[in-house]
Amino acid sequence: MPSEFSLIQRYFTRPVRHTALGVGDDCALLAPAPGMALAVSADMLVAGRHFLPDTDAARLGHKALAVNLSDCAAMGAQPRWATLALALPVADEAWLAAFAQGFFALADQFNVDLVGGDTTRGPLNICIQIMGEVPQGQALRRDGARPGDDVWVSGTLGDAALALAHVQQRFCLDPAAAAALLPRLEAPTPRVALGLALRGLAHSAIDLSDGLLADLGHILERSGCGADIEFAALPVSAPLRAYLDQDLVRDYVLAGGDDYELCFTAPTAARPAITALATPLGLPLTRIGCITAAGGLRLLDTDRQPLPVKVTGFDHFQ
Ligand code: ADP
Ligand code: MG
């Protein structure tokens, strides 16, 4: 049986690129650039709650880091460092090798140094902390939305929730749709470049982890305003659109979690600049409504008549 220390050495110790001291001492030593604020966030993935215990380990390594990178993206922060706290039932080296491969492939893509963590025996649990840099005063916060702002989302909505329903056999997708949508659930792409490009353009931003209604609701609450959202404007993927006549799928678009797209608000004057980002980023950016002084979130049909809002986002304690 390999020791804890040889596992850390073998799987989680890599040369660092922009860190004074990485894995191996009591603390890592980090030096943010002058004028930069540290943007810090942690996300925990618990087996049986956030993922099925038999999920492919490489995809899990990717996803565990991706959801953290998504938080950096939502703040307009450049991800720089991560820590990894891991509880494992057994020291399964094939699992660790695959997990580390998925983790470091994404870390390399975003130039993130793994600088420390903790490794212990226990029920499978992955907790990653991400640290990024953002120029002081330029972070994209939840409390900056203003009446008259456009509300935008990146990418498409509901794909991950529909894929999860398929995996859990609550919904049957045709094989081509399943193949197209599964990566949206298991290997989401954090919208880091978009977050960086939105500095100075967006008034507020959030990443969509719990569903559009819930996450936009956080912006509205923190900003003290409301929103009118047009259902027909919500961007959906081609494979999901084929199922959009089903109420369940419409609910996934409105309130399905795990898409890790960005929802942001920006003044109408920023429309040309935001529209111009889509092509270089290779990412659709869609205006879905506007921020109102009146509180509450209103969902409108194509005739601007209110639609009932029955669904809310995911809450671990409800
Ligand atoms: P301590 O006893 O001070 O908590 P550990 O023995 O737990 O130290 O860890 C030794 C070193 O390895 C530390 O630098 C720690 O940050 C790092 N480390 C432990 N587990 C991981 C991991 N899963 N990924 C990255 N670094 C890790
Ligand atoms: Mg320790």
Side-chain angles (χ1 to χ4, degrees), residues 177-193:
L181 294 178
L182 264 184
R184 295 276 291 154
L185 173 69
E186 295 185 341
T189 304
R191 304 308 188 188
V192 172

Side-chain angles (χ1 to χ4, degrees), residues 106-130:
L106 195 65
D108 290 345
Q109 190 185 330
F110 287 93
N111 197 26
V112 167
D113 282 347
L114 178 64
V115 297
D118 201 22
T119 306
T120 175
R121 185 188 288 255
L124 183 56
N125 186 340
I126 304 156
C127 185
I128 292 179
Q129 182 177 45
I130 193 84

Side-chain angles (χ1 to χ4, degrees), residues 292-304:
T292 58
L297 197 159
R298 287 157 301 275
L299 190 64
L300 306 175
D301 69 13
T302 32
D303 306 323
R304 296 196 65 81

